[in-house]
Amino acid sequence: MTDENDRAVQAAIDGELRLLDPGVRASTALVSELLDPEFTEIGASGRRWDAESILTVTSAGTVSPEAPIEASRMSGEVLAPGIVHLTYFTVHQGYRAWRSSLWRLTETGWRMYFHQGTPAADDRP
């Protein structure tokens, strides 16, 4: 992987970790900076979300500092210039999920364009 690709993957990982942070999630402004205006998500619940509906949920404080989302096995791949695909595993209050995100480089920086969560029976790859 090139240095440029390494930097792109690290920028996406940094953004993903910020979105998992309870303090960031509680701020509509901070989450808005990280979501692409065209953002969509297919949640682990099977529900489809857009940026506006996600902002409503995250600002409600659904993740507290006392019960943070634990992320592991995060890795990324540059799919094309300005597009990074991340995958990782999360545990939150006993709920396990595999997660996949697409990040794209915009004029204002790296933003999450798409996210999908899939329930996991266990944490094996």
Side-chain angles (χ1 to χ4, degrees):
M1 191 172 347
T2 67
D3 287 343
E4 185 177 327
N5 284 355
D6 288 342
R7 284 190 297 274
V9 168
Q10 190 59 55
I13 288 172
D14 292 346
E16 193 82 40
L17 293 174
R18 286 190 67 211
L19 282 171
L20 295 174
D21 180 278
V24 171
R25 291 174 74 87
S27 167
T28 301
L30 293 176
V31 173
S32 292
E33 289 175 7
L34 294 166
L35 295 183
D36 192 276
E38 297 177 27
F39 170 82
T40 59
E41 174 175 336
I42 300 170
S45 65
R47 181 174 173 187
R48 186 175 169 95
W49 305 83
D50 59 15
E52 185 178 327
S53 59
I54 283 294
L55 289 172
T56 300
V57 170
T58 58
S59 65
T62 55
V63 176
S64 71
E66 295 78 31
I69 298 170
E70 299 172 34
S72 61
R73 302 181 189 177
M74 193 170 290
S75 65
E77 185 74 32
V78 174
L79 300 180
I83 304 289
V84 172
H85 179 227
L86 296 181
T87 57
Y88 60 103
F89 184 77
T90 60
V91 178
H92 183 240
Q93 299 181 335
Y95 183 80
R96 302 171 176 281
W98 285 103
R99 302 201 172 266
S100 175
S101 297
L102 289 176
W103 286 77
R104 72 177 174 181
L105 185 58
T106 69
E107 292 178 1
T108 58
W110 286 94
R111 291 179 167 224
M112 183 186 283
Y113 175 75
F114 176 79
H115 182 80
Q116 182 166 352
T118 303
D122 57 39
D123 64 354
R124 287 178 284 205

